[in-house]
Amino acid sequence: MNQWLDLVGIFVFALSGALVGVRRRLDVVGMAVLAEMTALGGGILRDLILNVRPAAFSSTGYVLAPVIATAIVFFWHPHVQRVMPAVNVFDAAGLGLFSVVGTEKALSYGLSPLHATLLGVTTGVGGGVLRDVLSGQIPLLLYDRQLYAVPALFCSAVMAVLYSLDLHGWPATLAAAVLGLGLH
């Protein structure tokens, strides 16, 4: 079940990355690069900081989901653009989920709750920052009035507290992610 949630989050993040590629008038390779970085960048950064093999390199699905999202956007971007408001709900859920999972992984590798929370936020927002930098934009994280990072920080902090109270596993992960989704 966890891998399916990961793949859905990766796919939704990849859609947003590929759409930025369309807006920036990139070719399909540029779109794919933005899709891959948006979808996988935060987790890769987290795993490199933890000095572990990035999870993105452990499953073909992690790489194929952004490729499929890129193909869909390449051929049907006007249609994808129209349904993006609905996709943004999944994007917000993915942000919370990735932040919580990143925090939990950092805690399981022995980081303090504070450092794990910061690394969880990095997991959630890192791909979007990479997308923006690669597409020549100021990262949305730095100026968006919709408080993109605040829900990620809240989710990560809740996960760190739950973990400190010895509450682990999918119920704690889901609870922390849903609380953050409520802020978004």
Side-chain angles (χ1 to χ4, degrees):
M1 183 66 147
N2 250 0
Q3 187 173 17
W4 284 108
L5 287 175
D6 273 353
L7 290 175
V8 168
I10 287 167
F11 182 80
V12 170
F13 279 5
L15 285 175
S16 71
L19 281 170
V20 168
V22 168
R23 285 188 216 114
R24 300 298 286 184
R25 304 182 60 76
L26 301 180
D27 65 9
V28 70
V29 173
M31 290 170 59
V33 168
L34 290 184
E36 293 283 347
M37 285 297 102
T38 305
L40 304 173
I44 290 172
L45 286 171
R46 175 203 61 225
D47 290 347
L48 291 175
I49 290 168
L50 291 174
N51 199 28
V52 298
R53 181 178 176 208
F57 302 135
S58 66
S59 169
T60 309
Y62 288 136
V63 177
L64 287 181
V67 169
I68 293 167
T70 300
I72 289 169
V73 170
F74 181 75
F75 289 109
W76 298 291
H77 64 86
H79 305 293
V80 174
Q81 189 71 44
R82 261 185 272 152
V83 298
M84 247 349 247
V87 171
N88 286 340
V89 173
F90 291 106
D91 185 66
L95 173 69
L97 183 64
F98 283 2
S99 298
V100 167
V101 168
T103 302
E104 189 170 24
K105 186 169 186 175
L107 288 163
S108 73
Y109 276 85
L111 268 66
S112 73
L114 173 64
H115 293 105
T117 298
L118 295 175
L119 196 50
V121 172
T122 300
T123 305
V125 304
V129 170
L130 290 171
R131 174 202 62 219
D132 294 344
V133 169
L134 288 173
S135 66
Q137 301 176 84
I138 295 172
L140 189 64
L141 173 74
L142 299 178
Y143 68 89
D144 185 15
R145 296 192 196 307
Q146 299 191 8
L147 303 175
Y148 191 68
V150 171
L153 180 61
F154 183 73
C155 289
S156 295
V158 168
M159 185 68 238
V161 168
L162 292 174
Y163 196 93
S164 297
L165 297 172
D166 206 30
L167 298 170
H168 304 246
W170 72 265
T173 301
L174 185 61
V178 166
L179 285 172
L181 181 59
L183 281 181
H184 214 292

